[in-house]
Structures are given as C-alpha cells and as structure tokens.
Amino acid sequence: MYPLHPFTVHLPIGLLIGNALLTLLYLRSSNEAYETSAYHCLWLGWLLLLPAVASGTLDAARQVLDPANPRPDALPWVNAHAGVGLALLAVYWHVWQLRRRRPAILSEARARRGYLAWLAFGVLLIVLDGWLGGKLVYALRLGAY
C-alpha cells in the first residue's frame, strides 16, 4: 500500500504559511481582503491538518511496526515528527480561536504582538516538522518505495 501521508500534507502547509504571509500583507497595506483571506487560510489549513496527522499516524504505524521489516532506528524520529504535528494542531487551534473570538485582534497593538508571536511559532513548527519528515524519507528511507 502506498503511503497516504505525502498527499495530505501540502495543502495545510501552504494554507498555514499563506495565512502568515497574508496577515503580514494586511498589516503592511490595511487591505481588508488580505485579512479575510488570511482568516480563511487559517481555519481551512487547521481543518486539513487533521487528515495529515491521521494519515501520518497510519502510515508510520504500518511502516515502523511492520514485522517483516522492523525499523526501531526510525521510531524516535517518527515520534518527534508526530509530536510536532500534534503541537501544530494545538498551536493553530489556539491561533484560530484568538482570531475568531477577537476579529479586530490585528488592530489592537498589544493583542496583535501576541497573535503574531503565535503565528511565528506556528510557522517555525511547520519548518521543523517538514525537516523531520524529510529526515524520515531521505535519510532513513521510511516510506520510500
């Protein structure tokens, strides 16, 4: 069975990074269309994280726990990748709730700083999780056919 996880990660990555970029464009230009688009990227990106995490869990379990080809060397890296993926779910849920509960959060200087810090933290987690996924595929050859 071909791994499903690679097919499910690209949209949430693009949408969540797009959210950060559109938020920055809004702050630079004050064009409400950027802010509205950023919000839609945020909630859709979070929703699409769910199948990415689920498919990653299934693919990892299938490959790491395969009795014909056990991979105990990959288990710590899989756990790190999964942990960061779960952290992404939590961070972007928090960001989404901040934005949903306070639609004008980007207009309030103090609240905006906290919101932007959470967004930056989320983007850093995306980069870290992408690096861990690359390590699993290219260095440890997990999921390679």
Side-chain angles (χ1 to χ4, degrees):
M1 180 176 177
Y2 195 80
L4 298 173
H5 186 61
F7 295 114
T8 61
V9 299
H10 296 92
L11 278 175
I13 289 170
L15 286 165
L16 294 172
I17 291 175
N19 162 258
L21 294 174
L22 287 164
T23 299
L24 293 176
L25 281 171
Y26 166 72
L27 292 173
R28 188 143 166 80
S29 70
S30 298
N31 184 339
E32 290 291 326
Y34 289 135
E35 202 280 328
T36 302
S37 297
Y39 177 69
H40 292 299
C41 285
L42 176 60
W43 69 261
L44 187 57
W46 186 85
L47 285 176
L48 290 174
L49 271 177
L50 295 172
V53 170
S55 65
T57 302
L58 292 172
D59 284 350
R62 185 174 42 80
Q63 293 175 31
V64 173
L65 303 176
D66 181 11
N69 184 23
R71 294 294 309 267
D73 61 320
L75 191 57
W77 294 99
V78 168
N79 288 338
H81 185 53
V84 175
L86 292 173
L88 277 166
L89 279 173
V91 165
Y92 277 104
W93 173 264
H94 180 68
V95 169
W96 180 21
Q97 295 308 306
L98 284 173
R99 173 60 186 82
R100 188 180 66 79
R101 292 179 180 152
R102 290 175 80 176
I105 197 166
L106 294 173
S107 301
E108 306 162 14
R110 185 172 179 196
R112 178 178 55 231
R113 280 193 297 275
Y115 181 79
L116 293 176
W118 279 105
L119 278 183
F121 182 54
V123 170
L124 287 174
L125 286 177
I126 289 171
V127 170
L128 174 61
D129 217 22
W131 181 84
L132 288 168
K135 170 86 173 169
L136 289 169
V137 171
Y138 297 110
L140 298 174
R141 306 296 295 162
L142 196 66
Y145 287 95

